[in-house]
């Protein structure tokens, strides 16, 4: 159990990759605090995961600093120091570059980048007092290479990668590590709700050397590793989990 005795926050954890990360961290012995904007699903997920370990959930919008501060300070006061933060909450909506409107652009940047910034800053202030902590951001292969129809999303994921590297430098004196996981194509509701048809999904699989999409548990394993003391000398890096997709042209 590589996270025994650790306390973790996972954002956007009502479903998908965030839920799988929460499950994995509970299996590894961590106490896990979930948060999401989808309150009904969050309660359902917290109840489901409670059979594995100590877990609770609260409705928090990652873009709202007051909500984030109340959530994080509340955990510290009630339960104790935070060891791990996973910035997972994110949105992706396919839209051709020429028709992305300002509202869509701003919403994507607000949730994917500003939300991660606010949560990281609030949690890191507590971690700095403890002189320890590990922050893992869900970036994407889309933060490393372009993909048509996702200029706003790609810009947001590239921003996360360089925010994380800068955090790694500035937070190292406090023994806080900051790393990214860059998933490739992982089949969650995000892909279908984002506007990919079943045919587009099938065509996408041809780009992946391992010949299949990734599973949420495969991303969770990478996040759990980077969050753990097994990665104690790893900071400012990105771990790509994509079945080999970006190895080739
Ligand atoms: N699925 C993929 O193929 C893939 C690939 C690369 C990266 N990612 C990244 O992994 C993360 C999780 O993706 P997923 O596929 O599980 O998505 P998902 O849509 O299934 O889950 C995202 C969760 O974030 C929550 N959320 C959205 N806005 C929020 C806000 N303002 N505050 C709090 N919670 C909010 C949603 O309610 C949802 O529960 C995202 O950051 C995504 O960009 C996913």
């Amino acid at each position: 159990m590589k996270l025994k005795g650790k306390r973790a926050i996972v954002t956007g954890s009502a479903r998908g990759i965030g839920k799988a990360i929460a499950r994995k961290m509970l299996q590894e012995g961590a106490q896990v605090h979930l948060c999401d904007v989808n309150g009904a699903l969050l309660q359902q997920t917290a109840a489901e995961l409670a059979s594995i370990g100590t877990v609770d959930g609260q409705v928090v919008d990652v873009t709202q600093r007051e909500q984030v501060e109340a959530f994080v300070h509340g955990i510290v006061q009630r339960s104790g120091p935070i060891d791990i933060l996973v910035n997972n909450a994110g949105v992706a909506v396919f839209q051709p570059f020429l028709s992305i409107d300002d509202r869509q652009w701003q919403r994507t940047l607000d949730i994917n980048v500003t939300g991660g910034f606010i949560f990281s800053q609030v949690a890191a202030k507590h971690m700095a007092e403890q002189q320890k902590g590990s922050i893992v951001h869900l970036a994407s292969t889309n933060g490393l290479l372009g993909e048509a129809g996702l200029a706003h999303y790609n810009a947001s994921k590239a921003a996360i990668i360089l925010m994380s590297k800068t955090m790694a430098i500035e937070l190292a004196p406090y023994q806080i590590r900051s790393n990214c996981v860059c998933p490739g194509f992982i089949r969650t509701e995000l892909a279908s709700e984002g506007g990919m048809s079943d045919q587009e999904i099938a065509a996408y699989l041809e780009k992946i050397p391992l010949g299949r999409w990734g599973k949420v548990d495969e991303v969770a394993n990478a996040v759990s590793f980077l969050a753990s003391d097994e990665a104690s000398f790893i900071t400012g890096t990105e771990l790509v989990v994509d079945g080999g997709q970006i190895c080739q042209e």
Side-chain angles (χ1 to χ4, degrees):
M1 297 232 279
K2 58 174 174 275
L3 300 177
K4 198 166 172 42
K6 307 260 190 209
R7 178 179 314 290
I9 291 175
V10 185
T11 73
S13 39
R15 71 178 197 183
I17 293 172
K19 178 178 174 181
I21 294 167
R23 187 190 300 110
K24 173 69 179 172
M25 290 193 160
L26 286 165
Q27 288 165 345
E28 293 290 351
Q31 292 186 31
V32 180
H33 303 274
L34 314 174
C35 68
D36 204 288
V37 282
N38 187 337
L41 195 56
L42 184 68
Q43 290 318 317
Q44 206 177 304
T45 297
E48 185 186 324
L49 296 181
S51 61
I52 311 172
T54 307
V55 59
D56 58 31
Q58 189 171 315
V59 173
V60 178
D61 182 336
V62 296
T63 66
Q64 302 301 309
R65 183 175 281 274
E66 309 73 40
Q67 292 183 27
V68 173
E69 285 178 343
F71 177 61
V72 173
H73 298 337
I75 292 170
V76 172
Q77 274 164 10
R78 271 194 320 276
S79 312
I82 294 153
D83 304 288
I84 296 163
L85 168 66
V86 183
N87 284 317
N88 168 79
V91 289
V93 179
F94 277 88
Q95 192 75 33
F97 176 73
L98 292 178
S99 61
I100 296 172
D101 65 31
D102 292 351
R103 193 192 54 80
Q104 290 165 327
W105 174 269
Q106 198 56 51
R107 177 170 179 266
T108 304
L109 273 287
D110 281 349
I111 296 172
N112 294 8
V113 185
T114 309
F117 159 68
I118 293 172
F119 240 108
S120 297
Q121 195 183 56
V122 171
K125 284 181 183 172
H126 285 287
M127 290 173 172
E129 287 170 19
Q130 305 299 320
Q131 286 284 311
K132 65 179 166 111
S134 177
I135 300 176
V136 183
H137 313 266
L138 269 291
S140 170
T141 48
N142 288 60
L144 298 167
L145 294 175
E147 182 182 353
L150 286 170
H152 43 355
Y153 181 74
N154 300 344
S156 77
K157 293 299 180 182
I160 290 167
I161 292 170
L162 273 182
M163 179 179 76
S164 172
K165 286 185 189 293
T166 312
M167 286 170 56
I169 300 164
E170 291 196 34
L171 300 179
Y174 305 103
Q175 301 303 314
I176 300 169
R177 297 181 295 106
S178 173
N179 290 291
C180 289
V181 169
C182 294
F185 186 36
I186 312 299
R187 189 79 194 265
T188 65
E189 283 99 325
L190 191 84
S192 35
E193 287 176 7
M196 275 178 104
S197 66
D198 285 347
Q199 280 156 325
E200 284 167 330
I201 288 171
Y204 203 102
L205 295 184
E206 288 173 20
K207 302 184 202 169
I208 302 173
L210 284 181
R212 62 173 176 86
W213 52 69
K215 301 176 190 144
V216 290
D217 292 345
E218 292 171 313
V219 180
N221 289 343
V223 173
S224 171
F225 163 67
L226 285 174
S228 78
D229 293 340
E230 286 184 357
S232 51
F233 201 52
I234 301 177
T235 192
T237 196
E238 52 279 343
L239 180 49
V240 175
V241 182
D242 73 341
Q245 187 185 333
I246 66 168
C247 291
Q248 59 186 358
E249 276 185 70

